[in-house]
Amino acid sequence: MSARTLLKSLLVYQAWANDELLEKLTGLDPRDNEMKRRAALRLMNHIHVVSRIFAAHLAGADHGYASDNTEETPEPAELRAAMAEGDRWYLDYLETVSEQRLAEPVAFTFTDGDKGCMTRQEMLTHVVLHGGYHRGEIGRMLAQIEVSPPWDTYAVHLHRAEPSRRSHTKPEPLDA
């Protein structure tokens, strides 16, 4: 499997997982568990902001963020739309970037002023892993308030996206 194919699969997974979790957060009553709900939305917004920052790094543009989150916490529907747009940007970007550019290192500055350098494929991987890390935190918060988090693992996504994977059997060894 090529890096591009794997990255595309991971980015499609990320879009699905973000949407699944934001759908769950949209359905939470804002009056119930207000602190956990706000913390979950803050983390989802952080995922979004970091995603936008790295998109700017990939595009060679100024991201305009002074921090890895915003002062205001968006409502779930607004955040869901913004994240869907960001997830679409990454999938569109992957369709246009060459294999050679994926391996190209890009120097950038973090919001705290530290310098960094990653290849484009490392940046794409970081965005996916970063989001997964924080979605896991949010899932834990939901479980603490007795709300079932979405079952949003990569394996679940693959099998829902391609149900035929369930019918595959393990191949027999060649030297049997």
Side-chain angles (χ1 to χ4, degrees):
M1 175 183 296
S2 72
R4 177 186 302 280
T5 301
L6 179 58
L7 286 168
K8 182 176 182 179
S9 179
L10 290 171
L11 289 166
V12 168
Y13 157 69
Q14 173 180 261
W16 171 79
N18 284 341
D19 192 62
E20 289 280 304
L21 186 51
L22 282 162
E23 180 178 353
K24 180 67 78 166
L25 294 176
T26 299
L28 291 180
D29 186 335
R31 297 168 300 210
D32 292 339
N33 301 297
E34 184 180 343
M35 298 284 286
K36 293 270 191 217
R37 180 182 180 273
R38 183 175 187 283
L41 288 172
R42 295 288 306 153
L43 276 173
M44 286 303 288
N45 194 55
H46 166 71
I47 293 168
H48 174 63
V49 169
V50 169
S51 173
R52 298 316 310 143
I53 289 170
F54 274 87
H57 294 330
L58 288 164
D62 180 31
H63 52 73
Y65 289 100
S67 173
D68 62 4
N69 211 333
T70 59
E71 286 187 36
E72 297 297 317
T73 304
E75 287 300 313
E78 175 189 351
L79 186 54
R80 191 175 184 188
M83 290 188 84
E85 181 182 329
D87 289 334
R88 177 83 254 150
W89 184 92
Y90 276 96
L91 288 165
D92 291 344
Y93 174 80
L94 192 59
E95 291 299 317
T96 62
V97 68
S98 70
E99 289 285 339
Q100 294 80 8
R101 293 225 354 134
L102 279 174
E104 176 184 270
V106 177
F108 58 90
T109 304
F110 289 99
T111 57
D112 66 2
D114 279 351
K115 303 290 184 198
C117 185
M118 299 167 76
T119 66
R120 293 174 187 280
Q121 60 193 9
E122 287 170 337
M123 287 183 182
L124 294 168
T125 303
H126 169 71
V127 167
V128 172
L129 295 176
H130 175 261
Y133 175 83
H134 290 303
R135 283 191 307 274
E137 283 184 287
I138 295 166
R140 194 62 147 144
M141 284 185 220
L142 291 175
Q144 289 171 351
I145 60 172
E146 298 180 4
V147 173
S148 296
W151 197 19
D152 64 357
T153 68
Y154 184 55
V156 167
H157 164 72
L158 289 174
H159 289 89
R160 285 187 182 168
E162 299 175 39
S164 64
R165 287 175 177 256
R166 294 276 184 207
S167 64
H168 287 232
T169 58
K170 184 178 174 181
E172 293 294 322
L174 295 175
D175 57 336

